């Protein structure tokens, strides 16, 4: 039996050898290609990046401390290594777009609000001093802190220099990350933090407020008085830096972010957007009331407000203030800004979720929404680009098209409408 097995193995050896070589050769070729890219990276650091860093005021000592031991991280997303096949374009247009309600999971909101309220009480004196200086309410600051890093508890594992150097050298957006890498070098040059302390997300966003390096240079604040703006470890510095960011982006002292409202059925849902603002008094005269039935605050009545219907007639509706759009400077998303506003209200006032529920409309492919957007564009409507995401320009274009064609205005894409 043993001799028989040996004969079989010997007979199969050529085939096994060929299979092993077939498996090994692509790996070896890949390894050779990666080694070549690594050499190009070292040359890029020395011949390309270093001259620009020196011109920006970065010393050779700082440059070497930050980058001498940094290797490329091949596990990061959105890479485009030189000499490799071009990365396939993400099939974002094929991803499903669902009703916005999923963004506001009640269990998560309650947990963040409970923790945020406790932390707001613990840091009340610091937050009061910050609000006096920058005019941004404590609830908004704490809500952003919670959303961005779980109040500092989220893991921020990456070396900022590894992420930024890799993406500046071989990502799909190298110019963006090159700018941020140079900003990171300037942070170290100024002595704010050591390279080892600069931890970031996989996208290069740093510390508890999740600032990119350029935002750190513009907005980070030393509020605890230790001589450096430490957004990684210092709660006062983190909270003050968030407030400074919002204030510099235009936060209007004394104004709210917005109010959930009831829009009468006779009124078009297509009046959405900053360019169609009215005073809140005018919205009231047109029939819009607060969902609570209480009047709008007296100091808000003569100030501007904008209609916001993130799910058209299928969910909560709002009149928002310019401060809503300042929150969007932190993350350019209506849902993000609504998340922050609602979480801030829960933290500050103990309020709950939105009164009107988000209807479940099922899911549509983003490619379907993009098709709808292109159709509206051909008909002369400004949808803000056929990206498969129904922003306010798309929503109001839908409403205007529906009105023009004698249909009920819903201001939101559905599978039925696409058909």
């Amino acid at each position: 039996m043993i001799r028989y097995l040996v004969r079989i193995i010997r007979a199969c050896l050529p085939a096994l050898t060929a299979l092993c070589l077939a498996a090994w050769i692509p790996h070896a070729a890949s390894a050779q290609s990666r080694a070549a890219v690594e050499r190009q990276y070292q040359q890029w650091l020395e011949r390309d990046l270093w001259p620009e860093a020196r011109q920006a005021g970065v010393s050779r000592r700082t440059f070497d401390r930050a980058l001498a031991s940094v290797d490329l991280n091949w596990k990061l997303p959105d890479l485009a290594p030189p000499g490799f096949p071009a990365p396939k374009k993400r099939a974002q247009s094929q991803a499903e777009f669902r009703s916005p309600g999923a963004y506001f999971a009640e269990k998560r909101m309650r947990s963040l609000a409970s923790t945020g309220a406790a932390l707001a009480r613990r840091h009340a004196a610091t937050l009061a001093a910050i609000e006096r200086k920058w005019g941004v309410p404590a609830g908004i600051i704490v809500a952003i802190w919670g959303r961005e890093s779980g109040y500092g508890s989220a893991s921020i594992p990456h070396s900022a220099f590894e992420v930024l150097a890799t993406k500046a050298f071989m990502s799909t957006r190298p110019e963006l990350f090159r700018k941020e890498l140079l900003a990171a070098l300037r942070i170290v040059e100024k002595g704010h933090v050591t390279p080892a302390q600069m931890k970031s997300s996989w996208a290069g966003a740093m510390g508890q407020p999740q600032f990119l390096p350029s935002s750190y240079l513009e907005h980070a604040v030393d509020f605890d008085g230790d001589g450096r703006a430490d957004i990684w470890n210092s709660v006062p510095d983190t909270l003050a830096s968030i407030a400074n960011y919002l204030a510099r982006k235009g936060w209007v002292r004394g104004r709210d972010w917005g109010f959930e409202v009831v829009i009468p059925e006779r009124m078009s849902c297509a009046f959405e957007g900053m360019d169609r603002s009215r005073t809140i008094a005018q919205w009231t005269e047109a029939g819009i009331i607060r969902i609570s039935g209480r009047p709008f605050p007296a100091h808000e009545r003569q100030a501007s407000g904008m209609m916001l219907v993130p799910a058209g007639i299928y969910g909560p509706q709002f009149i928002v203030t310019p401060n809503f759009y300042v929150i969007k400077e932190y993350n350019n998303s209506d849902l993000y800004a609504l998340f922050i506003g609602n979480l801030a209200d829960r933290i500050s006032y103990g309020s709950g979720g939105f009164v009107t529920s988000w209807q479940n409309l099922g899911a549509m492919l983003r490619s379907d929404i993009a098709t709808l957007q292109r159709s509206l564009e051909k008909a002369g409507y400004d949808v803000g680009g056929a990206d498969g995401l129904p922003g306010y320009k798309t929503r109001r274009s839908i409403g205007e098209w529906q009105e023009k064609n004698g249909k009920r205005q819903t201001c939101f894409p559905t599978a039925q409408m696409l058909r």
Side-chain angles (χ1 to χ4, degrees):
M1 174 63 73
I2 292 174
R3 289 178 181 174
Y4 177 70
L5 288 173
V6 168
R7 284 199 301 271
I8 291 176
I9 291 170
R10 284 176 176 171
C12 291
L13 267 177
L16 290 171
T17 302
L19 284 172
C20 289
L21 283 172
W24 178 81
I25 287 172
H27 177 77
S30 175
Q32 280 185 335
S33 297
R34 286 197 177 192
V37 171
E38 298 278 359
R39 288 192 296 272
Q40 290 178 51
Y41 164 66
Q42 294 299 329
Q43 293 171 357
W44 173 81
L45 285 176
E46 190 62 32
R47 299 175 187 176
D48 190 346
L49 188 67
W50 162 239
E52 187 172 356
R54 179 176 56 196
Q55 192 172 11
V58 176
S59 68
R60 184 72 211 198
R61 180 174 180 272
T62 293
F63 189 85
D64 289 342
R65 281 177 66 207
L67 294 170
S69 61
V70 169
D71 295 322
L72 294 175
N73 184 342
W74 291 82
K75 295 180 181 179
L76 294 174
D78 302 323
L79 298 184
F84 277 58
K88 291 182 179 179
K89 190 175 181 179
R90 282 188 178 185
Q92 288 181 332
S93 62
Q94 295 302 316
E96 286 186 346
F97 176 83
R98 295 183 179 274
S99 173
Y103 197 84
F104 303 93
E106 185 61 21
K107 183 178 180 181
R108 182 189 183 202
M109 296 294 289
R110 285 181 182 174
S111 176
L112 283 171
S114 175
T115 303
L119 289 169
R121 291 190 294 269
R122 182 187 306 174
H123 301 289
T126 298
L127 287 162
I130 290 170
E131 184 169 358
R132 285 194 297 272
K133 182 167 184 176
W134 285 285
V136 183
I140 294 291
I141 298 168
V142 174
I144 289 176
W145 183 28
R147 180 68 177 82
E148 293 299 322
S149 65
Y151 307 110
S153 67
S155 175
I156 305 174
H158 296 287
S159 158
F161 281 104
E162 180 183 80
V163 170
L164 295 171
T166 299
K167 292 196 166 237
F169 176 66
M170 60 174 197
S171 78
T172 54
R173 296 187 294 169
E175 291 307 315
L176 167 66
F177 289 101
R178 184 188 184 98
K179 170 194 165 189
E180 297 301 336
L181 177 56
L182 291 166
L185 288 166
R186 289 173 58 205
I187 291 171
V188 175
E189 183 68 31
K190 290 174 180 288
H192 294 298
V193 66
T194 67
Q197 292 169 327
M198 288 182 67
K199 296 297 185 181
S200 78
S201 70
W202 62 264
M206 305 186 306
Q208 297 183 45
Q210 286 290 275
F211 280 178
L212 287 171
S214 59
S215 289
Y216 176 98
L217 288 172
E218 292 180 34
H219 307 297
V221 173
D222 170 24
F223 204 70
D224 60 14
D226 68 353
R228 61 195 186 96
D230 183 359
I231 61 172
W232 291 268
N233 305 295
S234 169
V235 170
D237 290 2
T238 294
L239 300 178
S241 297
I242 292 170
N244 186 40
Y245 182 98
L246 295 174
R248 288 191 169 207
K249 295 296 183 181
W251 187 271
V252 182
R253 185 186 290 264
R255 294 209 65 187
D256 210 315
W257 67 270
F259 309 90
E260 187 180 353
V261 300
V262 177
I263 299 173
E265 287 189 18
R266 69 177 184 275
M267 188 173 188
S268 171
C269 54
F271 288 123
E272 193 175 6
M274 288 190 72
D275 55 340
R276 299 182 181 181
S277 66
R278 304 180 183 183
T279 66
I280 290 180
Q282 289 172 326
W283 288 119
T284 303
E285 291 164 6
I288 290 178
I289 61 172
R290 288 182 70 180
I291 196 81
S292 62
R294 300 194 308 271
F296 291 97
H299 71 278
E300 295 277 8
R301 285 184 54 79
Q302 297 308 316
S304 65
M306 284 68 70
M307 181 189 290
L308 179 78
V309 288
I313 67 169
Y314 302 116
Q317 301 169 329
F318 306 88
I319 294 296
V320 297
T321 78
N323 285 340
F324 176 86
Y325 295 94
V326 174
I327 298 172
K328 285 184 65 175
E329 292 286 337
Y330 217 100
N331 183 325
N332 188 23
S333 160
D334 288 340
L335 298 186
Y336 176 89
L338 281 175
F339 187 104
I340 296 302
N342 182 247
L343 180 56
D345 288 350
R346 291 173 186 241
I347 290 168
S348 298
Y349 312 121
S351 56
F354 303 123
V355 176
T356 303
S357 61
W358 302 90
Q359 293 185 38
N360 184 359
L361 303 175
M364 291 180 69
L365 293 177
R366 283 182 61 178
S367 55
D368 288 340
I369 297 175
T371 298
L372 186 150
Q373 288 169 323
R374 286 190 291 270
S375 297
L376 287 167
E377 283 180 331
K378 289 178 182 177
Y381 294 94
D382 176 12
V383 299
D387 59 0
L389 294 174
Y392 79 90
K393 287 188 176 181
T394 295
R395 296 193 295 264
R396 74 186 189 188
S397 294
I398 289 171
E400 290 168 349
W401 177 87
Q402 289 170 325
E403 183 178 37
K404 182 179 178 180
N405 288 274
K407 300 178 182 296
R408 180 192 181 206
Q409 283 187 302
T410 65
C411 298
F412 200 74
T414 63
Q416 181 182 2
M417 179 190 174
L418 181 63
R419 286 193 296 271

